């Protein structure tokens, strides 16, 4: 047995022994250099970087053979991973070059600098270049390629431009990757002259599509398309449909026939497919040339892409505009009408445009015929029409005598032994037994009494625990832990007042003070409570800790940081940040990241910048070693609109050889793309995909950031290209991926491609969610396809996910913009049937729709129905909106009764609206009702309505009552009585004189 114990605790058989090759390399000094180099490589592959450096010392002592560049780069990387500073690493390279000058050559320099440059340690690479230049080794084209790609990877465009000018000055011919890097740099810097110079020096078989698209876009912005287009053809750029459309747009602006012919010739030579936007631009370029437009229309109607949703509508709009210019020639419009099909949702916007065209042109019968043939339903609900189309169609129906259409389209309403015994009682939760054991003993340590105390609290006998604590205090057996046990028990039951009382009793005990952990639990419990009073107590405890000279731990500060909310007061935020500054000298990355995340969550950007400057400045940075921490700092720089800081943090991470996680990469890509450099973010993703170590952590979420960036910049061709790269690397997309692309389609009028995306989405086993449908519906509304928006809404209703309020709000917004009151009423019914409570925003939009359609009673009825079904206090803004509608449509009596009811319900209304109602009532001869409304304002518990009443308005009401006769004088006396109680100094005569004085000048509105 003794042997076993000795073997286990002295020999330690579980300790991992070093590899056998390492021991041989250390013991045998006669090991040849080749064997030592191989052993060093094995140790490097195993991640044993300290052993690599020990082997390196052995190799340095032997000079029989040359040292390979591979071994040297492994040594340098091992030193980087062991956090050696740059000066130490450069000293090692200097020692190697001094010991053997045969290594001082360009080939060895490039093989050494290539792998090191991938760590993006610019200072190290620059230092190595200086060492070789001191040995009379000048950089060649391969060296400049390494430098250019390193600077471009960190988006240091100024350094890349300096390299370009240096190569040109020194007469060094750049390599193809170097020229491509220079070209990308000058395009990103919007320097077209230098970009064209780099393009002329580029010796590649084919210009990449993404670079060509950026160069073409820059040429259009610089108004130099005619100069750049031939050079792009010489570079064998594969023109895409988006590039063609961009070039045609520039031709339309310049109105140069020769440039247009050159663009079309280049597109025809590459057989570039045209879409509806291409054809619409060509129609506009034809400038009323009817034979040319007819030819374009023939080509468009025979094209496979001519029937797309948005593309086809653009073509129709262009043709209709051209027909307006040709003095009423309807032949082209009739050809388009013949090509349209009934029951095709994608063509509804085009049909609506055609109806409006015919109606505005005076062809009422043709407008009604288009509606009958293509839109009028056989059975079921009438298809939704926007307000403008509906008005045009109603006018056409009246002119042509179509009373059936007029009726159809009309407005609808619609001690050890005792301690053992105590532990046994504790396991059985026998509180009475534990107390009896303690009381029966003459003397027990505080720990034994605490066992009995814990037994009481675990059983929930808080009152018994309090009694036991008092007995312990009387016997002198209570310690700080005893109070802590009781405080913890009160916190479990949310008895915060009792817990704070127990804390005060503990503080009053001589020689006893609460520990930081006790304060930490108390603060945590108070912060978890939803009561603002308890949160205030938690921050007051911080002052108590300061009085007790107890420094908050980092856990306490972290807890406070996590519980700060956007609605937290500035006093609370400043107090927590002052606690953070107490740890300034010993700040670690965990506390730093918690602080930065809190500032970002609170959107306190000024405070975020201050913390970054204090704790992550180049002069005094906190040591960061975790990928998650780097991601948090990068995200902070992104929020601060500081991509340079984000790149600096990324470079620090790469120089430490910290492998980024998918979250870190996502933060970096988002920080770069959201600050305008979407191309830089795309280049970063490409670089990461080329590296075997980082390729597996690039996921669909990372691509989502560039999808969003490109789509918001209107560059959908780059979105599709990036989506193709994602699939080529077998990165499985998520629902969020497709949602981002669909959002881009909605923003850039490419809803015709959504159907294909949905099919592809389902092929991956994914189903559209509420966000997908909401985005699609928003796109349909934005592009005028009302019928498709309602169809998509009904399809969503049939799906598994319930419709949320956000989707209803999207529909209501569309109805508001299109003036669809009937459809709004239908949506309200569906929302109420679903049992979905409306928000203030929803009610605001609904009231606006009904008010806009002059349906005030329906607006009041809808609001009252929603209040009845979902009892909640209505927002004052909605009430004011209802009253504004009454003023707008001169429904003064309805507004007055509603206004008095609202003031009776203690709503604070807009005084100006109330004044307008009073004046309106006087104009229609209702002074009694005006006096009642004014009396409600005077009797309001809120003094603001009464204070807002002008003496001239009061006198105007009183004079109107006096001239009315019969019962009006009684109403006037009642109003005067109310005035004397509120305004004792009111004088009717002086108010009347003031009113007359105002009337002598310009008329009162």
């Amino acid at each position: 047995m003794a042997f076993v114990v000795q073997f286990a605790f002295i020999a330690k058989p579980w300790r991992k022994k070093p590899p056998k090759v390492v021991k041989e390399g250390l013991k045998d000094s006669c090991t040849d250099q080749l064997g030592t180099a191989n052993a060093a490589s094995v140790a490097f592959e195993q991640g044993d970087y300290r052993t690599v450096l020990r082997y390196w010392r052995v190799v340095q002592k032997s000079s029989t053979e040359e040292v390979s560049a591979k071994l040297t780069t492994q040594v340098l990387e091992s030193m980087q991973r062991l956090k050696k500073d740059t000066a130490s690493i450069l000293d090692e390279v200097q020692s190697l070059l001094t010991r053997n000058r045969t290594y001082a050559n360009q080939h060895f320099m490039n093989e050494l600098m290539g792998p090191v440059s991938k760590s993006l340690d610019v200072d190290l690479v620059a230092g190595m270049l200086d060492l070789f230049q001191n040995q009379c080794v000048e950089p060649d084209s391969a060296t400049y390629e390494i430098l250019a790609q390193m600077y471009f990877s960190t988006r240091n465009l100024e350094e890349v431009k300096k390299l370009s000018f240096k190569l040109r000055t020194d007469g060094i011919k750049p390599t193809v990757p170097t020229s491509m890097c220079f070209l990308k740099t000058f395009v990103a810097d919007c320097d077209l002259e230098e970009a064209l110079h780099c393009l002329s020096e580029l010796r590649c078989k084919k210009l990449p599509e993404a670079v060509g698209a950026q160069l073409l876009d820059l040429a259009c912005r610089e108004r130099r398309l005619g100069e750049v287009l031939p050079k792009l053809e010489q570079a064998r750029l594969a023109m895409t449909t988006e590039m063609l459309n961009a070039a045609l747009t520039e031709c339309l602006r310049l109105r140069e026939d020769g440039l247009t012919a050159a663009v079309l010739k280049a597109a025809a030579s590459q057989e570039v497919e045209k879409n509806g936007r291409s054809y619409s631009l060509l129609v506009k370029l034809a400038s009323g040339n009817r034979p040319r437009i007819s030819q374009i229309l023939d080509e468009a109607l025979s094209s496979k892409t001519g029937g797309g949703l948005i593309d086809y509508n653009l073509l129709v709009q262009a043709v209709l505009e051209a027909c307006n210019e040709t003095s009423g020639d309807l032949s082209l419009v009739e050809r388009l009408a013949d090509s349209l099909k009934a029951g095709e949702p994608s063509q509804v916007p085009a049909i609506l445009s055609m109806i409006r065209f015919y109606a505005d042109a005076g062809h009422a019968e043709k407008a009604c015929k288009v509606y009958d043939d293509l839109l009028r339903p056989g059975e079921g609900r009438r298809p939704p029409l926007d307000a403008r189309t509906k008005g045009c169609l109603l006018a056409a129906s009246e002119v042509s005598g179509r009373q059936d259409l007029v009726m159809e389209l009309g407005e609808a309403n619609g001690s050890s032994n005792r301690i053992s015994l105590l532990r046994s009682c504790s396991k059985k939760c026998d509180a009475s037994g534990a107390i009896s054991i303690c009381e029966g003993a003459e003397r027990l340590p505080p720990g034994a009494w605490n066992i009995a105390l814990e037994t009481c609290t675990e059983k929930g006998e808080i009152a018994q625990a309090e009694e036991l604590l008092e007995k312990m205090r009387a016997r002198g057996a209570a310690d700080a832990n005893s109070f802590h046990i009781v405080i913890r028990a009160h916190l479990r039951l949310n008895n915060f007042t009792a817990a704070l009382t127990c804390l005060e009793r503990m503080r009053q005990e001589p020689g006893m003070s609460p520990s930081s952990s006790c304060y930490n639990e108390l603060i945590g419990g108070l912060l978890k409570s939803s009561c603002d009073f308890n949160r205030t107590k938690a921050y007051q405890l911080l002052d108590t800790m300061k009085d007790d000279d107890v420094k908050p731990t980092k856990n306490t500060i972290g807890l406070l940081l996590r519980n700060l909310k956007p609605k937290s007061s500035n006093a609370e935020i400043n107090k927590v940040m002052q606690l953070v500054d107490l740890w300034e000298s010993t700040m670690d990355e965990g506390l730093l990241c918690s602080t930065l995340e809190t500032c970002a969550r609170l959107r306190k950007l000024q405070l975020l910048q201050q913390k970054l400057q204090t704790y992550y400045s180049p002069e005094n940075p906190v040591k960061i070693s975790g990928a998650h921490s780097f991601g948090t700092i990068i995200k902070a720089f992104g929020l601060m609109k500081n991509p340079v800081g984000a790149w600096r943090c990324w470079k620090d991470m790469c120089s430490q050889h910290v492998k980024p996680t998918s979250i870190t990469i996502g933060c970096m890509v988002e920080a770069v793309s959201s600050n305008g450099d979407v191309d830089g973010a795309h280049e970063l993703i490409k670089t990461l995909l080329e590296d075997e170590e980082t390729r597996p952590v690039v996921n669909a979420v990372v691509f989502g950031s560039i999808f969003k960036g490109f789509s918001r910049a209107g560059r959908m061709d780059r979105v599709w290209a990036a989506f193709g790269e994602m699939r080529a690397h077998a990165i499985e997309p998520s629902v969020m991926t497709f949602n981002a692309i669909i959002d881009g389609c909605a923003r850039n009028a490419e809803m015709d491609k959504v159907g294909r995306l949905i099919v592809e989405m389902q092929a991956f086993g994914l189903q559209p969610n509420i966000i997908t449908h909401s985005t699609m519906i928003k796109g349909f509304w934005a592009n005028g396809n009302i019928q498709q928006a309602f169809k998509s809404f009904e399809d969503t209703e049939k799906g598994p996910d319930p419709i949320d309020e956000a989707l209803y709000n999207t529909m209501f917004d569309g109805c508001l913009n299109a003036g669809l009151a009937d459809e709004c009423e239908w949506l309200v019914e569906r929302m109420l049937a679903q049992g979905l409570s409306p928000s203030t925003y929803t009610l605001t939009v609904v009231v606006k729709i009904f008010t806009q359609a002059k349906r005030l009673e329906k607006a009041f009825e809808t609001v009252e129905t929603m209040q009845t079904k979902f009892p909640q206090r209505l927002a004052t803004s909605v009430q004011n909106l209802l009253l504004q509608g009454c003023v707008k449509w001169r429904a003064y009596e309805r507004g007055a009764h509603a206004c008095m009811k609202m003031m009776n319900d203690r709503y604070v209304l807009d005084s100006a609206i109330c004044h307008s109602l009073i004046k309106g009532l006087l104009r229609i001869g209702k002074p009694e009702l005006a006096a009642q409304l004014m009396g409600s304002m005077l009797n309001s518990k809120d003094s603001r309505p009464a204070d807002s009443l002008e003496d001239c308005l009061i006198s105007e009401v009183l004079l109107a009552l006096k001239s009315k006769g019969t019962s009006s004088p009684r109403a006037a006396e009642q109003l005067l009585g109310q005035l004397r109680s509120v305004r004792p100094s009111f004088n009717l005569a002086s108010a009347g004189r003031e009113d007359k004085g105002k009337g002598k000048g310009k008329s009162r509105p």
Side-chain angles (χ1 to χ4, degrees):
M1 183 67 182
F3 172 79
V4 173
V5 173
Q6 182 180 7
F7 180 76
F9 288 96
I10 298 177
K12 297 183 180 179
W14 57 82
R15 178 184 293 173
K16 185 177 179 180
K17 297 181 180 180
K20 185 176 180 181
V21 67
V22 175
K23 294 179 71 176
E24 290 180 357
L26 292 176
K27 287 185 176 182
D28 191 1
S29 60
C30 299
T31 304
D32 63 334
Q33 189 176 359
L34 182 60
T36 306
N38 288 336
S41 297
V42 171
F44 181 82
E45 295 295 335
Q46 293 176 349
D48 192 354
Y49 305 116
R50 297 190 183 278
T51 302
V52 174
L53 296 185
R54 288 197 291 267
Y55 276 127
W56 176 247
R57 301 300 173 221
V58 176
V59 171
Q60 285 180 316
K61 294 177 182 179
S62 176
S63 59
T64 57
E65 295 185 13
E66 294 183 358
V67 176
S68 67
K70 178 182 178 182
L71 175 60
T72 309
T73 56
Q74 290 175 345
V75 171
L76 298 182
E77 185 173 339
S78 298
M79 296 180 73
Q80 285 181 306
R81 291 184 180 274
L82 293 174
K83 308 296 187 295
K84 302 292 184 181
D85 56 23
T86 303
S88 301
I89 301 175
L90 291 175
D91 288 343
E92 202 67 40
V93 179
Q94 175 70 42
S95 175
L96 178 65
L97 296 177
T98 304
R99 191 169 61 252
N100 193 337
R101 292 184 57 82
T102 58
Y103 300 131
N105 58 75
Q106 290 178 337
H107 179 73
F108 189 83
M109 176 179 66
N110 294 335
E111 287 194 347
L112 208 60
M113 289 174 57
V116 175
S117 67
K118 293 182 179 180
S119 67
L120 304 182
D121 193 338
V122 178
D123 295 335
L124 179 58
V125 174
M128 292 172 63
L129 182 61
D130 290 340
L131 290 178
F132 278 97
Q133 287 180 323
N134 292 338
Q135 298 291 331
C136 300
V137 179
E138 294 299 325
D140 59 0
S141 57
T143 312
Y144 286 113
E145 177 183 334
I146 294 169
L147 294 172
Q149 290 183 346
M150 179 184 68
Y151 287 130
F152 188 76
S153 296
T154 58
R155 306 302 288 178
N156 193 342
L157 303 184
E158 290 299 323
E159 291 297 329
V160 180
K161 290 192 290 184
K162 290 178 182 179
L163 287 178
S164 174
F165 298 142
K166 182 172 178 55
L167 262 69
R168 195 180 307 170
T169 304
D170 296 347
I172 300 176
K173 201 170 186 179
T175 63
V176 174
T178 307
S179 298
M180 185 64 70
C181 189
F182 291 160
L183 176 59
K184 292 179 181 179
T185 299
F186 288 115
V187 169
D189 200 44
C190 299
D191 191 339
L192 185 58
E193 286 292 342
E194 292 297 334
L196 292 176
H197 179 80
C198 295
L199 182 65
S200 64
E201 293 183 345
L202 191 62
R203 304 179 305 279
C204 64
K205 295 182 179 180
K206 187 177 180 181
L207 186 65
E209 182 181 310
V211 180
Q214 295 178 61
L215 191 54
L216 181 68
D217 181 66
L218 179 59
C220 292
R221 282 187 276 130
E222 296 287 336
R223 310 297 184 234
R224 297 171 62 183
L225 178 61
E227 175 188 351
V228 175
L229 187 61
K231 297 182 179 181
L232 291 177
E233 291 185 86
Q234 292 175 4
R236 294 178 291 278
L237 170 66
M239 184 179 288
T240 63
T241 305
E242 286 75 15
M243 295 182 195
L244 173 61
N245 292 341
L248 290 176
T249 304
E250 179 64 11
C251 294
L252 182 62
R253 192 196 70 83
L254 297 175
R255 293 288 182 178
E256 294 182 5
D257 295 338
L259 180 59
T260 304
V263 171
L264 292 176
K265 182 179 178 181
S269 65
Q270 299 187 33
E271 299 181 352
V272 179
E273 187 182 71
K274 301 183 184 71
N275 59 14
R277 179 169 178 78
S278 310
Y279 290 119
S280 66
L281 289 169
L282 290 172
V283 169
K284 293 177 181 179
L285 284 165
S287 301
N289 186 344
R290 188 185 176 285
R292 174 59 181 155
I293 295 175
S294 180
Q295 181 184 358
I296 296 169
L297 192 57
D298 289 337
E299 181 183 350
L301 294 178
S302 62
S303 173
K304 294 181 180 179
T305 60
L309 175 64
I310 302 304
D311 294 338
Y312 192 83
N313 297 327
L314 290 173
L315 174 61
V316 170
Q317 290 290 344
V319 172
L320 294 179
E321 291 175 7
C323 289
N324 283 327
E325 297 175 3
T326 56
S327 303
D329 187 359
L330 302 179
S331 58
L332 295 176
V333 182
E334 291 173 353
R335 288 184 58 194
L336 277 174
D338 293 339
S339 67
L340 296 174
K341 298 178 182 179
E344 185 67 39
S346 63
Q347 296 180 356
V348 169
I351 297 170
L352 297 179
S353 299
M354 200 164 292
I355 291 173
R356 293 194 298 268
F357 172 81
Y358 277 130
D360 294 340
H363 299 277
E365 296 83 0
K366 290 182 181 293
C368 296
K369 187 176 183 303
V370 171
Y371 176 75
D372 290 336
D373 295 343
L374 300 176
L375 280 186
R376 197 173 190 183
E379 295 179 359
R381 188 164 57 89
R382 172 175 62 81
L385 300 174
D386 62 274
R388 181 186 169 193
T389 306
K390 187 176 181 180
C392 291
L393 193 55
L394 275 170
S397 302
E398 292 175 355
V399 171
S400 59
R402 293 289 302 275
Q403 292 300 319
D404 57 329
L405 283 183
V406 173
M407 296 296 294
E408 180 182 323
L409 297 172
E411 292 292 341
N413 296 321
S415 197
S416 59
N417 290 337
R418 291 186 180 273
I419 292 176
S420 299
L421 290 172
L422 283 169
R423 288 174 179 165
S424 176
C425 292
S426 178
K427 291 179 181 179
K428 298 176 183 179
C429 293
D430 184 4
S432 301
I435 293 174
S436 63
I437 292 172
C438 291
E439 291 178 343
E442 295 181 358
R443 185 176 181 84
L444 282 176
W449 286 89
N450 290 339
I451 294 174
L453 199 59
E454 285 182 345
T455 305
C456 294
T457 58
E458 288 173 3
K459 191 178 179 181
E461 301 289 346
I462 304 300
Q464 198 172 13
E466 289 280 4
E467 292 178 3
L468 181 58
L469 180 60
E470 289 300 321
K471 293 179 181 179
M472 292 170 64
R473 290 178 61 197
R475 296 192 178 194
D479 58 4
N481 192 31
S482 308
F483 286 93
H484 195 177
I485 293 170
V486 177
I487 290 173
R488 192 184 298 119
H490 284 305
L491 291 175
R492 282 200 298 265
L493 297 174
N494 294 330
N495 295 331
F496 300 113
T497 304
L500 291 171
T501 302
C502 189
L503 178 70
E504 288 300 319
R505 287 160 53 196
M506 181 181 180
R507 295 179 64 217
Q508 293 171 5
E509 289 289 323
M512 195 180 299
S513 62
S515 63
S516 58
S517 61
C518 181
Y519 277 114
N520 188 32
E521 287 193 36
L522 260 172
I523 292 172
L526 291 167
L527 289 175
K528 290 177 182 178
S529 171
S530 58
C531 178
D532 292 336
F533 177 78
N534 291 332
R535 292 182 59 85
T536 304
K537 285 292 183 182
Y539 286 97
Q540 289 176 356
L541 279 179
L542 296 176
D543 298 328
T544 306
M545 292 178 70
K546 187 176 181 181
D547 294 339
D548 291 346
D549 199 20
V550 178
K551 183 179 180 180
T553 63
K554 292 181 180 179
N555 291 334
T556 306
I557 299 174
L559 185 65
L560 290 164
L561 288 169
R562 288 190 297 271
N563 280 276
L564 284 174
K565 301 177 182 179
K567 294 183 179 180
S568 299
S569 65
N570 289 330
E572 292 180 355
I573 297 173
N574 293 334
K575 183 172 288 188
V576 177
M577 293 304 163
Q578 289 172 3
L579 296 179
V580 172
D581 294 337
L582 292 177
W583 291 89
E584 180 176 357
S585 59
T586 57
M587 175 68 69
D588 58 12
E589 62 177 298
L591 184 56
L592 173 61
C593 292
S594 297
T595 306
L596 297 179
E597 288 172 354
T598 301
C599 294
R601 188 177 70 252
L602 301 177
R603 308 300 296 181
K604 298 291 184 181
L605 300 185
Q606 186 175 0
L607 189 60
L608 180 63
Q609 183 177 11
Q610 176 188 342
K611 297 304 177 185
L612 280 173
Q613 291 175 349
T614 303
Y615 300 115
Y616 196 74
S617 61
E619 297 80 14
N620 186 27
V622 175
K623 190 67 175 178
I624 307 296
S625 60
H628 174 77
S629 304
F630 279 113
T632 301
I633 298 172
I634 290 171
K635 180 180 179 181
F637 278 119
L639 289 173
M640 292 305 305
K641 308 295 182 185
N642 185 1
V644 176
W647 280 112
R648 176 168 65 86
C649 185
W650 180 264
K651 187 191 73 171
D652 291 345
M653 183 184 71
C654 294
S655 64
Q656 295 183 36
H657 296 277
V658 177
K659 182 180 178 180
T661 64
S662 57
I663 297 176
T664 311
I665 296 174
C667 292
M668 184 62 193
V669 172
E670 179 67 22
V672 176
S673 64
S674 63
N675 285 286
D677 191 7
V678 191
D679 293 306
H682 194 190
E683 291 291 339
L684 175 61
I685 293 177
K686 289 180 179 179
T687 304
L688 294 170
L689 289 173
E690 293 172 359
D691 193 336
E692 294 182 358
E693 289 189 4
T694 56
R695 187 184 303 136
V697 294
V698 178
N699 55 22
V701 178
V702 175
F703 273 92
S705 296
I706 61 170
F707 291 157
K708 181 172 63 176
F710 281 133
S711 65
R712 291 184 176 179
R715 302 165 66 183
M716 284 302 293
D717 55 329
R718 298 300 304 276
V719 173
W720 299 117
F723 187 51
E725 293 173 10
M726 178 178 164
R727 289 182 296 178
H729 286 88
I731 298 175
E732 187 171 347
S734 64
V735 177
M736 293 175 61
T737 305
F738 287 101
N739 288 348
I741 300 177
I742 292 172
D743 180 69
C745 294
R747 290 174 181 270
N748 296 280
E750 294 192 11
M751 290 297 291
D752 56 314
K753 299 178 181 178
V754 170
R756 178 169 58 86
L757 277 174
I758 296 297
V759 173
E760 190 169 353
M761 181 180 184
Q762 293 171 346
F764 281 98
L766 303 172
Q767 294 299 326
N769 58 13
I770 285 293
I771 298 176
T772 312
H773 291 292
S774 180
T775 307
M776 291 170 57
I777 291 172
K778 192 179 296 183
F780 290 135
W781 279 114
N783 293 283
N785 197 341
I786 302 173
Q787 186 174 2
Q788 192 66 22
F790 275 92
K791 183 179 181 302
S792 183
F793 176 81
E794 291 172 354
D795 292 341
T796 309
E797 278 189 316
K798 299 173 184 177
D801 299 327
I803 297 181
D804 58 1
E805 185 196 352
L807 184 52
Y808 274 107
N809 287 342
T810 301
M811 295 295 293
F812 286 132
D813 286 335
C815 291
L816 177 63
N817 294 329
L820 303 178
D822 296 340
E823 284 69 21
C824 172
E825 184 177 352
W826 179 78
L827 285 169
V828 169
E829 293 174 358
R830 305 297 294 238
M831 190 175 184
L832 291 174
Q834 188 178 336
L836 200 60
S837 176
S839 65
T840 300
Y841 179 81
T842 308
L843 290 173
T844 301
V845 178
V846 170
V847 170
K848 284 182 180 179
I849 294 171
F850 287 130
T851 304
Q852 198 178 68
K854 202 176 179 180
R855 296 168 63 178
L856 293 175
E857 288 301 327
K858 190 62 184 177
F860 279 101
E861 179 188 338
T862 302
V863 171
E864 290 170 0
T865 302
M866 289 186 171
Q867 274 192 295
T868 303
K869 188 164 185 177
F870 308 102
Q872 57 183 355
R873 184 171 177 81
L874 201 62
T876 306
S877 58
V878 179
Q879 302 280 27
N880 286 329
L881 201 59
L882 287 168
L883 297 178
Q884 284 175 354
C886 294
V887 173
K888 178 180 179 181
W889 300 114
R890 300 182 180 180
Y892 301 118
E893 294 183 67
R894 181 68 175 93
H897 289 295
C899 188
M900 288 187 287
K901 183 179 182 301
M902 294 173 188
M903 284 191 286
N904 189 43
D905 293 337
R906 299 184 180 181
Y907 281 100
V908 180
L909 302 176
D910 188 348
S911 300
I913 300 176
C914 299
H915 297 171
S916 299
L917 288 171
I918 293 173
K919 294 175 183 177
L921 290 169
L922 294 177
R923 281 197 296 269
I924 65 175
K926 298 288 183 180
E928 297 90 349
L929 189 55
Q932 292 179 22
L933 178 55
M934 187 172 286
S936 297
M937 295 177 68
L938 292 170
N939 292 333
S940 176
K941 294 186 177 181
D942 187 2
S943 62
R944 283 175 288 182
D947 294 341
S948 68
L949 288 170
E950 298 178 356
D951 291 349
C952 59
L953 181 60
I954 298 173
S955 65
E956 192 174 346
V957 173
L958 291 171
L959 291 173
L961 289 171
K962 183 178 180 181
S963 62
K964 187 74 174 177
T966 61
S967 62
S968 297
R970 186 178 301 173
E973 292 175 4
Q974 186 178 359
L975 181 59
L976 280 171
Q978 292 172 334
L979 278 168
R980 293 189 187 99
S981 63
V982 177
R983 292 189 185 179
S985 61
F986 176 76
N987 189 334
L988 180 60
S990 62
R993 286 194 300 272
E994 181 184 350
D995 192 24
K996 290 179 181 179
K998 288 183 179 179
K1000 291 179 182 179
K1002 57 184 179 180
S1003 61
R1004 193 169 65 247

